[in-house]
């Protein structure tokens, strides 16, 4: 699937191939593939991709300061988040837009941080979905700490954390894997291995599959075709339920591909060739499910048109929500520096506000 160093094809779970053909033998016993499930996942991916495209356009038009695209990784996110329970706590990195939308987070909440209107605009308690973490791999340690708390609370919820292959090279990620194993924390690590750590290919990051590194720490680890939404769903559900039942922490390596740049400040044409991109475009996760739905007679053109119309409506709401976001107030920086504003900070804030008002 990739020119980078990944697991052998036989070790990677795949249920639907790029032509949209379901491997019923592989699916038997691990996933009940229904038309409702496939249609739901297809809709999630289409809406997530359209939102991502609209946010990219908004950044290019100067409405957002930065954007990190999820193009090509829709199956990895939709399949994994839909396999979790609503009370399972998720710790994302910074490009889990599809997963966030599935959890009910609004376009305005997702865009606020990138427009500079807030440092994190949704309530993690409401969605059981933590705010984005921009420092590589820091969320993995946060997730382990939270999972240790879950164990002490004696609940059966699972903690789930997203990170990339580049973040796996950070010390925080390796410390998190070790702590999770040592404490038997109820956590699943989900690595979206998209082949590139900005401009550094996977072949220059590590010499063996990431799942083997996780096993070395003592985790139960598997590899999955990250562009196959049903395989991701099945692998995540099985791993989450095993961990929920008291098993060792889990690690899922989802092989996918970042089809856009690392962010809007990155030009991928400078470090990868068009042939590689073309190979992965042939493994498009959305088209794969469209082909499956069509072949099975589970969806017709009216259904696809309805989903496409929903996507355009989401794009319109996204644009309107972005432009309606309030301008940030520097006064709030004083209020939010500490949990409670101290007397010294209050005096500094009032002094700043008096100075600002002198220009009005």
């Amino acid at each position: 699937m990739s020119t980078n160093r990944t697991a052998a094809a036989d070790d990677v779970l795949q249920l639907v191939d790029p032509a949209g053909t379901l491997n019923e033998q592989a699916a038997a016993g691990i996933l009940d593939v229904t038309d409702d499930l496939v249609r739901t996942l297809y809709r999630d991916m289409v809406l997530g991709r359209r939102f991502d495209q609209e946010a990219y356009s908004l950044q290019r038009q100067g409405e957002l300061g930065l954007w990190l695209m999820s193009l090509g990784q829709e199956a990895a996110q939709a399949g994994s988040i839909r396999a979790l329970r609503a009370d399972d706590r998720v710790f994302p990195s910074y490009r889990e837009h599809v997963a966030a939308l599935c959890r009910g987070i609004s376009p305005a909440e997702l865009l606020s941080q990138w427009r500079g209107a807030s440092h994190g605009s949704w309530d993690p308690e409401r969605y059981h979905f933590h705010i984005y973490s921009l420092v590589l791999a820091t969320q993995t340690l946060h997730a382990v700490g939270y999972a240790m708390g879950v164990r002490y609370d004696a609940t059966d919820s699972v903690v789930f954390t997203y990170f990339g292959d580049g973040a796996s090279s950070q010390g925080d990620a390796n410390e998190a894997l070790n702590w999770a194993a040592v404490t038997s924390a109820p956590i699943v690590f989900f690595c979206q291995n998209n082949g590139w750590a900005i401009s550094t290919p996977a072949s220059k990051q590590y010499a063996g599959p990431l799942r083997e590194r996780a096993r070395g720490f003592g985790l139960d680890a598997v590899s999955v075709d990250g562009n196959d939404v049903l395989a991701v769903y099945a692998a995540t559900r099985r791993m989450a339920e095993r961990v929920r039942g008291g098993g060792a922490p889990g690690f899922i390596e989802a092989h996918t591909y970042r089809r856009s740049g690392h962010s809007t400040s990155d030009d991928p044409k400078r470090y990868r060739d068009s042939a590689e991109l073309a190979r992965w475009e042939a493994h498009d996760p959305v088209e794969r499910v469209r082909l499956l739905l069509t072949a099975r007679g589970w969806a017709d053109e009216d259904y696809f048109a309805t989903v496409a119309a929903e996507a355009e409506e989401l794009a319109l709401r996204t644009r309107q929500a972005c432009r309606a976001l309030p301008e940030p107030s520097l006064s709030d920086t004083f209020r939010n520096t500490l949990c409670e504003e101290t007397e010294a900070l209050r005096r500094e804030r009032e002094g700043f506000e008096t100075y600002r008002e002198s220009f009005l």
Side-chain angles (χ1 to χ4, degrees), residues 225-278:
D225 178 352
N227 283 16
D228 176 358
V229 70
L230 291 183
V232 173
Y233 181 91
T236 303
R237 191 178 66 173
R238 292 179 72 191
M239 186 70 79
E241 291 310 308
R242 190 192 56 72
V243 171
R244 199 184 311 281
F251 183 100
I252 300 172
E253 181 180 8
H255 298 278
T256 183
Y257 191 75
R258 169 172 56 76
R259 282 164 53 180
S260 298
H262 173 73
S263 73
T264 48
S265 64
D266 171 44
D267 179 8
K269 294 189 296 294
R270 297 182 61 185
Y271 54 81
R272 68 185 190 196
D273 59 51
S274 57
E276 178 180 309
L277 177 60

Side-chain angles (χ1 to χ4, degrees), residues 20-24 33 291-299:
T21 302
L22 174 65
N23 186 332
E24 297 189 38
V33 181
L291 291 171
L292 173 63
L293 286 169
T294 302
R296 293 279 169 151
W298 290 342

Side-chain angles (χ1 to χ4, degrees), residues 135-174:
V135 178
L136 279 184
T138 186
Q139 76 278 9
T140 60
L141 283 173
H142 301 161
V144 172
Y146 195 93
M148 292 169 67
V150 168
R151 175 60 51 81
Y152 293 137
D153 289 341
T155 68
D156 71 341
S157 60
V158 168
V159 177
F160 195 84
T161 183
Y162 290 98
F163 63 108
D165 53 292
S168 74
S169 298
Q170 295 290 318
D172 282 6
N174 291 276

Side-chain angles (χ1 to χ4, degrees), residues 73 150 343:
Q73 298 180 218
V150 168
E343 180 62 22

